[in-house]
Amino acid sequence: MPVFHRFLTNHGKKIGLTTLLTGMVSLSILLTLTILLVASYQSKKKSLIDTTLTLNYSSAIKMSQMIDSLFQSMRSSLRYSASVLIDHPIHTQEEANEHLEILRRTGNYFNSLTVVDETGTIRIVSPPSIGTVGEKLVHKEAQYALALKKPYISSPYISKRYNRLLLFLSEPLYDKNGRYRGFIGGTIYLQDHNILNMIIGSPDTDTPGFSYTIVGSNGQMLFHPDKQQIGMDIGSNTVVKKLLAGNNGYSQMLGVNGDLLLAGYALVPATGWGVIVTSPMEHVYNELHSQVKMMLLYLLPPSLLLLLIVIQLAHRLARPFVHLANLMSKMGSERVEIPPAKHHWNREADLLTKAFRRAAKKIKEKTDRLTHEATTDVLTGLANRRSVEDILQAWTKEKLDFSVLLLDIDHFKHVNDTFGHLVGDEVLKLSAEIMKSSVRKDDVCGRFGGEEFIVLLRNASINGAFAVAEKIRTQIKNTANPTGKTITVSVGIVNSPLHGDSAAQLIDLADQALYQAKESGRNKVVVADSKEY
């Protein structure tokens, strides 16, 4: 508040009530709208993030279950193939190749199938084009599976022979006597077409803008929409660490490119892999911006309408106060008309207007009385000397044509000495009444001091002024007065601009003419610089 006060004091700026009310209401609506948008933005942002994380987590669980079921089916397929091979011995290589080809195509799980005997020699391969029949196992994963003599799922590895990222599954072969006879193994080319890629590549999810990532148990990326990233080691990622530690859940994470992602993740029990379903944070912001625009479309029209209504109300509310303030500012410097009695719909404005009318009426009465007292002679009711001089100054400044009569009651001191001052006052009042009755409405009669009077005749020539002076002189002489004796006056006349164009010069010449009238016998009218009449 002090700062605001200093601002107004230093710069001389004042804020109108209408502007203040309009600004405050506009600011309130703007702040309310801003707070509403910010609160809604934050709320919707949290809601969208939580919803997206939940949906991604749900999709990751579904995908992990699908992959787990798929691998269970793959292992079942291998076990079935193993039982067929044990229960139905094959006599020729062609029959063996054909039988394994049928098994591979029927399941469509594997890109290739291999049967290896207990010595590590490859006996059957599907498809036959691989051409490794009769060769010894060279891959560590296959050698490990042969030595393990149990079901086995390898970690993804790059085949040196085919330069492909592979996954190897095997099932041991035992004859009816329980003797170990080798294994049947299937390979999955992770970057080629197969049922695994079909499922991962076209997942069913409710999360828009999502993408799937499959991570191996060693942190290696097994699947990603961008095939260039397959095989990349992302084991250092915080979410991947949680996932490989056996945890399912959801959280925010940084992608390989450094962009912020909303991730849901789940473990695949059959393989130890992890499924990560991600949505870019950018998608959330795009959705938020879309919703904010929609909110603005809905909020702006009623807000603008409300603002217009409030501005109109502010104008109506402030109008009486502004009017009263303007009137108050004029009081004392110019004539103020008291506003008519009018009821306002606002209680405070109504009370203030009524109070102002009462106060203004009293002030006006007092001002008029003071003005009258300041410009009027108390005894005679004529204009006093100061008021006459002001009028005379104004007329000369406006270069009007007018005449001045300067009158003096003859032997007035004798009247006061003989009959007393009360009788003298009555003589003065009677003379003033005769003067007022002898002039026009626009002329001015004033008491110039003691028994001396002045008359200002607007647009009056010397002859016209002389006629008025004679009328006054004659009526005073012939009118009965409290002394019972004849009262006479002497008169000096000047004209502007004939005799001068300044108030001082005119008064001086009129006084000289009056003196001449008295010196020449009194009860006379004398025009300045002229003969007696």
Side-chain angles (χ1 to χ4, degrees):
M1 192 67 181
V3 175
F4 182 66
H5 176 73
R6 286 199 303 273
F7 173 80
L8 293 182
T9 304
N10 295 338
H11 294 80
K13 296 181 180 179
K14 307 295 180 185
I15 301 177
L17 182 59
T18 304
T19 304
L20 182 62
L21 288 175
T22 303
M24 289 179 65
V25 171
S26 302
L27 182 61
S28 298
I29 292 177
L30 181 62
L31 286 176
T32 301
L33 188 61
T34 302
I35 291 171
L36 179 63
L37 286 175
V38 170
S40 176
Y41 181 88
Q42 295 298 331
S43 175
K44 289 185 179 295
K45 177 181 176 182
K46 185 178 184 305
S47 177
L48 281 173
I49 290 175
D50 291 346
T51 301
T52 303
L53 286 171
T54 302
L55 288 175
N56 286 351
Y57 175 65
S58 177
S59 297
I61 290 291
K62 289 179 181 179
M63 179 57 72
S64 70
Q65 291 173 349
M66 289 176 63
I67 295 175
D68 190 69
S69 297
L70 177 61
F71 275 91
Q72 295 291 346
S73 298
M74 289 179 177
R75 297 181 73 168
S76 296
S77 174
L78 287 178
R79 283 196 296 269
Y80 171 74
S81 299
S83 65
V84 169
L85 290 173
I86 293 298
D87 294 339
H88 302 282
I90 300 169
H91 301 289
T92 66
Q93 187 66 38
E94 289 77 10
E95 290 176 347
N97 289 341
E98 183 180 353
H99 182 73
L100 200 61
E101 186 70 12
I102 292 172
L103 291 176
R104 184 178 67 85
R105 291 180 177 177
T106 301
N108 198 30
Y109 294 130
F110 304 100
N111 293 98
S112 66
L113 288 173
T114 303
V115 177
V116 179
D117 64 17
E118 65 273 21
T119 65
T121 302
I122 300 173
R123 295 299 181 183
I124 312 171
V125 175
S126 175
S129 58
I130 294 177
T132 57
V133 175
E135 296 180 4
K136 290 286 185 176
L137 293 176
V138 294
H139 295 299
K140 293 181 180 180
E141 289 76 11
Q143 292 174 349
Y144 181 78
L146 182 65
L148 185 62
K149 301 180 181 181
K150 292 180 180 180
Y152 172 66
I153 300 178
S154 73
S155 298
Y157 64 96
I158 302 269
S159 169
K160 294 181 180 179
R161 183 170 184 174
Y162 303 108
N163 196 27
R164 291 178 177 175
L165 187 63
L166 306 179
L167 184 68
F168 177 72
L169 284 76
S170 69
E171 281 289 328
L173 297 174
Y174 289 93
D175 60 18
K176 294 178 181 180
N177 299 320
R179 189 175 60 176
Y180 181 61
R181 300 300 302 273
F183 67 80
I184 178 171
T187 57
I188 302 171
Y189 301 161
L190 294 177
Q191 293 169 299
D192 289 4
H193 176 74
N194 50 57
I195 193 168
L196 178 61
N197 258 318
M198 289 173 60
I199 293 173
I200 297 174
S202 56
D204 180 21
T205 179
D206 297 325
T207 308
F210 76 97
S211 65
Y212 271 99
T213 300
I214 308 297
V215 181
S217 57
N218 59 354
Q220 191 176 21
M221 198 180 300
L222 306 182
F223 177 83
H224 191 274
D226 181 5
K227 291 189 176 183
Q228 297 296 323
Q229 297 188 26
I230 294 177
M232 186 180 296
D233 185 1
I234 57 172
S236 60
N237 187 282
T238 305
V239 168
V240 176
K241 287 180 179 180
K242 293 179 181 179
L243 185 60
L244 298 183
N247 299 313
N248 295 344
Y250 52 82
S251 68
Q252 298 184 23
M253 65 174 286
L254 290 176
V256 175
N257 298 325
D259 49 337
L260 187 60
L261 304 174
L262 300 177
Y265 51 92
L267 195 67
V268 180
T271 60
W273 295 357
V275 178
I276 305 175
V277 180
T278 59
S279 297
M281 193 67 179
E282 182 183 359
H283 170 77
V284 172
Y285 287 121
N286 290 339
E287 183 67 21
L288 277 172
H289 295 159
S290 176
Q291 292 191 19
V292 168
K293 289 179 182 178
M294 188 63 66
M295 283 186 64
L296 285 174
L297 288 176
Y298 283 110
L299 289 175
L300 277 180
S303 297
L304 290 175
L305 179 61
L306 176 62
L307 181 60
L308 291 175
I309 293 173
V310 170
I311 290 175
Q312 183 63 27
L313 287 175
H315 277 278
R316 289 190 60 192
L317 178 63
R319 189 179 298 125
F321 296 101
V322 173
H323 179 63
L324 292 177
N326 290 334
L327 290 178
M328 288 294 293
S329 67
K330 294 177 181 177
M331 291 189 68
S333 60
E334 59 182 275
R335 186 177 182 84
V336 176
E337 293 295 332
I338 300 175
K342 182 180 179 181
H343 295 289
H344 293 280
W345 60 274
N346 178 260
R347 178 176 176 274
E348 287 74 13
D350 189 61
L351 292 174
L352 187 59
T353 301
K354 290 177 180 177
F356 175 80
R357 289 188 75 257
R358 291 193 295 268
K361 187 175 181 181
K362 291 181 180 179
I363 293 172
K364 185 176 183 301
E365 291 173 353
K366 187 173 183 179
T367 302
D368 290 345
R369 184 172 67 252
L370 292 174
T371 301
H372 183 268
E373 292 175 356
T375 59
T376 306
D377 178 63
V378 178
L379 178 65
T380 63
L382 301 180
N384 61 19
R385 180 168 183 155
R386 180 179 178 181
S387 178
V388 171
E389 288 177 345
D390 289 342
I391 295 172
L392 191 58
Q393 289 282 0
W395 284 12
T396 54
K397 188 175 182 180
E398 294 176 22
K399 300 186 182 304
L400 299 179
D401 292 335
F402 63 92
S403 293
V404 180
L405 309 181
L406 195 61
L407 302 89
D408 187 84
I409 299 176
D410 297 328
H411 303 296
F412 185 72
K413 185 176 184 301
H414 177 72
V415 173
N416 281 334
D417 293 342
T418 304
F419 302 99
H421 287 282
L422 292 178
V423 173
D425 289 345
E426 292 300 320
V427 171
L428 291 174
K429 288 193 283 187
L430 176 63
S431 301
E433 289 297 326
I434 292 172
M435 280 186 281
K436 285 195 293 185
S437 64
S438 301
V439 298
R440 299 164 299 179
K441 182 179 180 181
D442 292 338
D443 296 331
V444 178
C445 294
R447 186 181 177 188
F448 214 55
E451 69 276 15
E452 196 172 51
F453 296 88
I454 189 169
V455 178
L456 305 181
L457 302 173
R458 192 182 182 102
N459 296 323
S461 64
I462 289 293
N463 291 332
F466 185 82
V468 173
E470 273 296 302
K471 181 180 179 181
I472 293 172
R473 185 188 66 77
T474 303
Q475 285 192 11
I476 290 175
K477 177 182 178 183
N478 297 330
T479 301
N481 62 76
T483 66
K485 304 292 183 179
T486 300
I487 298 295
T488 62
V489 294
S490 298
V491 184
I493 301 176
V494 293
N495 176 267
S496 177
L498 180 62
H499 295 105
D501 55 4
S502 71
Q505 184 180 15
L506 292 171
I507 293 296
D508 184 58
L509 291 175
D511 190 58
Q512 292 179 25
L514 174 61
Y515 179 78
Q516 186 178 352
K518 284 183 174 292
E519 286 295 312
S520 59
R522 293 184 172 82
N523 192 27
K524 291 183 179 181
V525 176
V526 175
V527 177
D529 296 330
S530 66
K531 67 178 182 178
E532 299 178 7
Y533 286 83

